[in-house]
């Protein structure tokens, strides 16, 4: 009995003034946002490195998925308001959502189709089919519940709890950002782990599995609070009424397009034959705001590229922050961190300071500034990309080959590439940079070292790199042309390592846990992949005796040829030849572009919602919420169109293109905003109330008069 009394008392305002049910809703939202943003954080890298799609296709599918997530809220709102109600809609679509997350986790299990155990799936089509199924279910789930959860939380409060309701929405928004922040930190760490039954790969099953588990927790927590919820029955969807009103007005105007019919003040007035004056007036207010939404998708086209293009940009950068190694997809955490810090700062300091300067910083001006800042953020991204491009290696084009020379001997050497194309001097135990030749013109080379000369014919295949190892032995000059089967920079900050045996004996080499096998004198191994930012133990077994050394700290995105020279007192002597330079542009250089874009989000997104709500009738907030979410969806579709149509080969040029497009749209929006007249919907509705009362009053007088006349 005492437990029942406690439960009932907590449902009363005396229990901190809040219904206990909202805490289940807030926990549910935190877990759901963790699930969504955690999965989304690693999604573009999953496309690129697991499904082996190129940058453009990965970006296209990513933005298609995000667009779907912001189109389906319209479906969710219709189902909730017209059929199932908010509670049943949330539960039903959360089940769909959880299944989708589970399917995504299963789709990323490498061993599912890796029958030959070579480390890559044998049936990529199956993984793609599962992934697309999972993403469609997730889009239906997350989009469908998006317009329902916050509104369902608002339903839990009584009419006299306006202050608590307002604070609930603040806590609700905080839970969204907290879930986003934590998941964007944690899931990239999980992805960076190595897991697998037969071969160790990046652990995408865990990176998708944890969000799936959190979504299941969100569903269970929400259902546990079922008996405490205040469940409002569906009242019919206002969006349907608005759509029918607009449709009838257009149809009626078309029917009466002849000049004999007098024009009406507004085209929506043609709906007056069927719909009441209040609905028409409210629809006019909504359409006025929706018209201003037309340029807004361009902002989201840039904003949502944080998870695609900017993440791919981070894969070509140095993520070493001292004791912490930042993964490329973890850079997305900069946005929620800055949001949590900046929203209170902007509200408490920046806006009051602007007000003190007597600047009329209206909502539409704030939105315009947000669009301009987003454009600047992409200019900053383009500048970073230009610096990255300067560090990228140049690989041979069609009809070309590249050769570098390593001098493995103790004497200096000179190499001539014939017929009289180029010569190069190489000191002992040093190497040159790669030299580019027209493949058809390079016929032979000769090596001069000490008092010996050696000439050798050469036949190369175009588009490839080679290493020429030369060594002046006591008897002769040895020249070995080694094939370098690497024509692209290692991805994800990994490193490629191979060895050359410069000893007279056959040796067996291991580096870390990777065995390179047996290696004959003056021969090379294949390249093997190693994570960056680490040191590894190099061990060579020479005549059954182990000899080892700790490697230097490897960079990120590099390739090295390590030459085994000698063993002295069980210490291995090695030299490093850089085949591909490591990433040298630090990820910290992305922080300015994230900072500028976050400033843009603060003045654009928060203000946009506030403006929309202030300009819309009380019963049509949901219509504008759906319209706002629709701008996000259209923005992601714009990315697909622009990226597909531009055909720009340079990434920095694409960033500049998006910046220029948003700047142009910003100017158009500024002109539209200049001519916009702010209204107070409450005043309009109060005036309508007065008119309706007057009409009713006049009607009552008329009826009484008619009744009196009939009695005479």
């Amino acid at each position: 009995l005492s437990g029942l009394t406690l439960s009932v008392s907590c449902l009363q305002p005396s229990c901190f003034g809040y219904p206990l049910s909202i805490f289940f809703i807030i926990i549910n939202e935190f877990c759901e946002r963790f699930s969504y943003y955690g999965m989304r954080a690693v999604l573009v890298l999953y496309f690129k490195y697991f499904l082996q799609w190129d940058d453009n296709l990965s970006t296209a599918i990513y933005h298609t998925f995000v667009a779907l997530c912001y189109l389906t809220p319209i479906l969710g709102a219709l189902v909730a308001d017209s059929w199932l109600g908010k509670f049943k809609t949330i539960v039903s679509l959360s089940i769909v959502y959880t299944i989708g997350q589970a399917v995504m986790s299963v789709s990323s299990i490498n061993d599912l189709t890796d029958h030959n155990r070579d480390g890559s799936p044998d049936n990529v089509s199956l993984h793609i089919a599962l992934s697309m199924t999972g993403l469609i279910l997730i889009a239906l789930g997350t989009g469908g519940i998006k317009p329902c959860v916050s509104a369902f939380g608002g339903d839990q409060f009584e009419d006299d709890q306006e202050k608590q309701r307002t604070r609930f929405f603040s806590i609700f928004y905080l839970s969204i950002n907290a879930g986003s922040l934590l998941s964007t930190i944690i899931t990239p760490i999980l992805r960076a782990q190595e897991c697998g039954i037969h071969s160790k790969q990046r652990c995408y099953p865990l990176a998708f599995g944890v969000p799936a588990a959190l979504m299941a927790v969100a569903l269970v927590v929400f259902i546990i609070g079922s008996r405490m919820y205040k469940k409002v029955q569906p009242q019919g969807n206002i969006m349907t009424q608005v759509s029918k009103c607009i449709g009838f007005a257009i149809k009626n105007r078309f029917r009466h397009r002849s000049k004999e019919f007098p024009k009406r003040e507004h085209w929506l007035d043609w709906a007056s034959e069927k719909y009441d004056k209040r609905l028409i007036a409210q629809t006019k207010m909504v359409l006025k705001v929706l018209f201003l939404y037309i340029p807004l998708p361009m902002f989201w086209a840039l904003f949502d590229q944080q998870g695609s293009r900017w993440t791919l940009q981070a894969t070509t950068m140095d993520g070493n922050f001292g004791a912490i190694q930042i993964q490329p997809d973890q850079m997305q955490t900069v946005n929620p961190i800055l949001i949590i810090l900046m929203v209170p700062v902007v509200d408490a300091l920046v806006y009051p300071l602007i007000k003190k300067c007597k600047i009329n910083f209206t909502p539409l001006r704030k939105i315009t500034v947000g669009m301009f800042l987003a454009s600047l953020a992409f200019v900053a991204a383009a500048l970073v990309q230009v610096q990255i491009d300067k560090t990228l290696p140049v690989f041979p084009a069609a009809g070309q080959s590249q050769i570098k020379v390593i001098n493995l001997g103790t004497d200096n050497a000179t190499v001539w590439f014939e017929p009289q194309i180029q010569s190069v001097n190489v000191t002992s135990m040093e190497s040159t940079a790669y030299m580019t030749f027209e493949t058809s013109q390079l016929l032979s080379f000769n090596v001069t070292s000490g008092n010996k000369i050696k000439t050798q014919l050469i036949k190369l295949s175009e588009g490839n790199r080679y290493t020429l190892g030369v060594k002046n032995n006591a008897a002769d000059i040895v020249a070995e042309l080694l094939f370098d089967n690497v024509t692209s920079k290692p991805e994800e900050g990994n490193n490629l390592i191979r060895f050359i045996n410069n000893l007279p004996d056959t040796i067996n080499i291991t580096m870390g846990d990777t065995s390179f096998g047996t290696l004959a004198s003056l021969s090379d191994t294949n390249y093997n992949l190693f994570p960056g930012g680490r040191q590894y133990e190099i061990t060579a077994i020479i005549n059954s005796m182990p000899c080892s050394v700790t490697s230097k700290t490897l960079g990120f995105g590099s390739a090295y040829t390590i030459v085994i020279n000698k063993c002295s007192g069980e210490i291995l002597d090695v030299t490093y030849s850089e085949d591909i330079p490591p990433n040298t542009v630090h990820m910290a250089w992305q922080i300015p572009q994230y900072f500028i874009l976050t400033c843009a989000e603060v003045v654009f997104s928060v203000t946009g919602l506030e403006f929309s709500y202030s300009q819309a009738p009380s019963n049509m907030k949901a219509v504008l919420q759906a319209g706002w979410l629709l701008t996000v969806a259209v923005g992601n579709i714009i990315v697909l169109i622009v990226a597909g149509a531009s055909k720009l080969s340079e990434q920095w040029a694409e960033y500049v293109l998006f910046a220029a497009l948003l700047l142009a749209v910003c100017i158009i929006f500024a002109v539209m905003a200049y001519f916009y007249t702010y209204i107070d919907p409450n005043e309009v509705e109060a005036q309508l109330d007065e008119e309706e009362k007057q009409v009713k009053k006049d009607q009552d007088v008329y009826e009484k008069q008619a009744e009196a006349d009939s009695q005479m």
Side-chain angles (χ1 to χ4, degrees), residues 19 64 242 289 329 388 477 515 575 609 612 672:
T64 302
V242 170
V289 178
D329 33 358
I388 292 170
I477 292 177
S515 173
T575 55
L609 284 172
S612 302
M672 292 169 64

Side-chain angles (χ1 to χ4, degrees), residues 499 507-512 514 516-517 536-542 545-550 564 572:
F499 289 91
I507 61 175
N508 192 290
I509 302 173
T510 59
M511 180 168 168
T514 304
F516 284 81
Y536 295 89
E537 189 75 12
I538 301 172
T539 303
I541 307 297
I542 309 167
M545 296 294 293
C547 200
S548 62
V549 68
T550 301
I564 308 292
L572 205 58

